Amino acid sequence: MPPPTKIAAAQQVRQLLHLDLVRSEKATVHLTTFVVSAVSTILITRAFLALTGYPQIGGDTGLHIAHVLPGGLLMLAGLVTGFAFIGRGPRPVAALLGGVGFGLFIDEVGKFVTADNDYFFEPAPAIMYVVFVTLVVAAQAGRRRRPLSDQEKVANAAHVLVDGLAGRLPDRRRQEVLRTLDAISTVKGAQQLRDLLADVEPRVSPLPQRFELLWHRVTAALARVASSRFAVTVVATLLVLQALGATAVVVSLWRANESYVLVTAGTLTGTAVCLICTTVGLWRWRTGAGRAAVEWLQRSALTSLLVTQVFHFAASQFTAVAGLGVDLLLLGVTSSILRTRFAPP
């Protein structure tokens, strides 16, 4: 057994590394928003540039305003949003703005790593892939390795209370937090927070009625799809068809032009991982592990978005953008299934 001095030193090192920061229970959700919006921005930007013949902002004036600049401004806007406002509301907005800005920024990575500022640098998709996958894998591994403590759950409930006191807390979110506090009622401060949350006024929607109605229609449509007994089967089928379709497109282009070796390898890797995740999801579904099954299908859709479509785009912008739309739809459906049919773990 190590001596007490070494144990104390190890504890001090851990505290220093953690910086005594309280983790957010929605960190994975916000990171997913960031990554999905960033990858979507890359694919949409490159499709737009291909359609318009790669124009340069600035024309014949001798100036070239690269889209890394508005990307930096959007990342700045995301940071300022997080600094300037309190409560739960700013974080999804900051994640979205930061994701779009980071997508515009990293889309030009080829210019930063080549002597001739080559925007079409072939390994660029691989660089983007490594960045995004590292973000997602690190976040998932960190949360699974060290779940939130009861004290951190109470702290998150206190953070939600900020919106409640301002009259901006949806009742659905309030009920979710109340259930969490009921489960940890013996923790210091949990009961007092529960009493305060139970007394807050319901949210008054800040959105105009038309936008609120549109949002409710979208969420209701996803909920209807998620409630179908065929939803999981349809999601799995679409994932398999999309993976095989992307592979067929890229392999056919590689046969016509052997310079697509890296693109083909990346697409095949993404397809293989998608098929493995989908197979595991279907197997878990058949064994009765419903939530775990849907989570595996969600991983398959994320892999398709983060790996398959990124490499696929280097070969065919337009089919990759179509794949982007399907991936976003599947992510929405799987998230709705988890939200409406399975209680949080």
Side-chain angles (χ1 to χ4, degrees):
M1 180 176 178
T5 54
K6 288 188 177 181
I7 295 176
Q11 291 176 343
Q12 290 178 354
V13 170
R14 283 197 294 269
Q15 290 177 353
L16 179 64
L17 291 176
H18 293 157
L19 300 176
D20 290 330
L21 298 176
V22 179
R23 294 171 297 165
S24 170
E25 63 179 346
K26 297 293 184 181
T28 303
V29 175
H30 298 323
L31 179 64
T32 301
T33 300
F34 177 88
V35 171
V36 169
S37 60
V39 174
S40 302
T41 299
I42 293 170
L43 298 181
I44 292 172
T45 298
R46 294 215 168 199
F48 172 77
L49 292 176
L51 282 170
T52 55
Y54 299 93
Q56 291 189 357
I57 301 176
D60 298 328
T61 62
L63 297 175
H64 172 50
I65 303 176
H67 50 268
V68 68
L69 297 178
L73 291 175
L74 283 171
M75 286 191 283
L76 174 63
L79 288 172
V80 171
T81 300
F83 297 153
F85 301 96
I86 61 174
R88 59 179 284 279
R91 294 194 174 188
V93 177
L96 180 63
L97 291 175
V100 174
F102 187 71
L104 291 172
F105 164 77
I106 202 170
D107 180 53
E108 295 203 315
V109 67
K111 291 184 177 181
F112 306 144
V113 297
T114 55
D116 56 350
N117 294 325
D118 185 8
Y119 178 69
F120 303 100
F121 183 51
E122 188 176 350
I127 298 173
M128 299 177 198
Y129 155 69
V130 170
V131 171
F132 289 123
V133 169
T134 300
L135 278 173
V136 174
V137 171
Q140 295 286 347
R143 179 55 56 88
R144 290 180 181 275
R145 182 172 173 268
R146 200 166 67 93
L148 290 181
S149 66
D150 289 344
Q151 290 78 10
E152 286 178 314
K153 291 178 181 178
V154 173
N156 274 272
H159 193 246
V160 172
L161 179 62
V162 172
D163 284 323
L165 295 175
R168 291 178 172 82
L169 181 64
D171 189 60
R172 176 187 58 80
R173 178 66 173 138
R174 180 176 66 167
Q175 295 301 327
E176 179 183 333
V177 177
L178 289 175
R179 287 193 295 270
T180 299
L181 291 173
D182 286 339
I184 55 173
S185 57
T186 58
V187 179
K188 183 179 179 180
Q191 188 58 47
Q192 291 89 334
L193 276 174
R194 194 199 184 288
D195 295 339
L196 289 171
L197 278 169
D199 292 336
V200 298
E201 295 293 330
R203 182 192 69 167
V204 177
S205 173
L207 293 175
Q209 186 174 1
R210 289 184 180 180
F211 292 105
E212 185 79 0
L213 181 61
L214 176 62
W215 175 249
H216 282 306
R217 285 178 177 175
V218 171
T219 54
L222 287 175
R224 284 195 298 271
V225 173
S227 62
S228 169
R229 63 192 182 97
F230 301 109
V232 171
T233 304
V234 171
V235 168
T237 302
L238 288 175
L239 286 169
V240 171
L241 290 176
Q242 173 159 269
L244 296 178
T247 301
V249 170
V250 172
V251 169
S252 64
L253 291 172
W254 169 65
R255 288 180 175 176
N257 185 349
E258 293 186 358
S259 64
Y260 286 113
V261 174
L262 179 61
V263 172
T264 304
T267 304
L268 290 175
T269 301
T271 297
V273 175
C274 286
L275 293 177
I276 291 172
C277 290
T278 303
T279 302
V280 173
L282 288 174
W283 175 71
R284 296 300 297 271
W285 183 259
R286 288 177 61 87
T287 58
R291 182 178 181 86
V294 179
E295 287 177 342
W296 275 102
L297 295 180
Q298 193 173 58
R299 292 186 189 106
S300 179
L302 276 172
T303 301
S304 178
L305 179 68
L306 298 177
V307 184
T308 307
Q309 303 308 330
V310 171
F311 285 97
H312 182 192
F313 193 90
S316 176
Q317 292 89 345
F318 305 111
T319 55
V321 170
L324 164 68
V326 174
D327 285 335
L328 293 178
L329 176 63
L330 293 176
L331 284 173
V333 172
T334 53
S335 297
S336 185
I337 293 174
L338 291 173
R339 184 173 59 253
T340 59
R341 297 174 62 175
F342 302 103

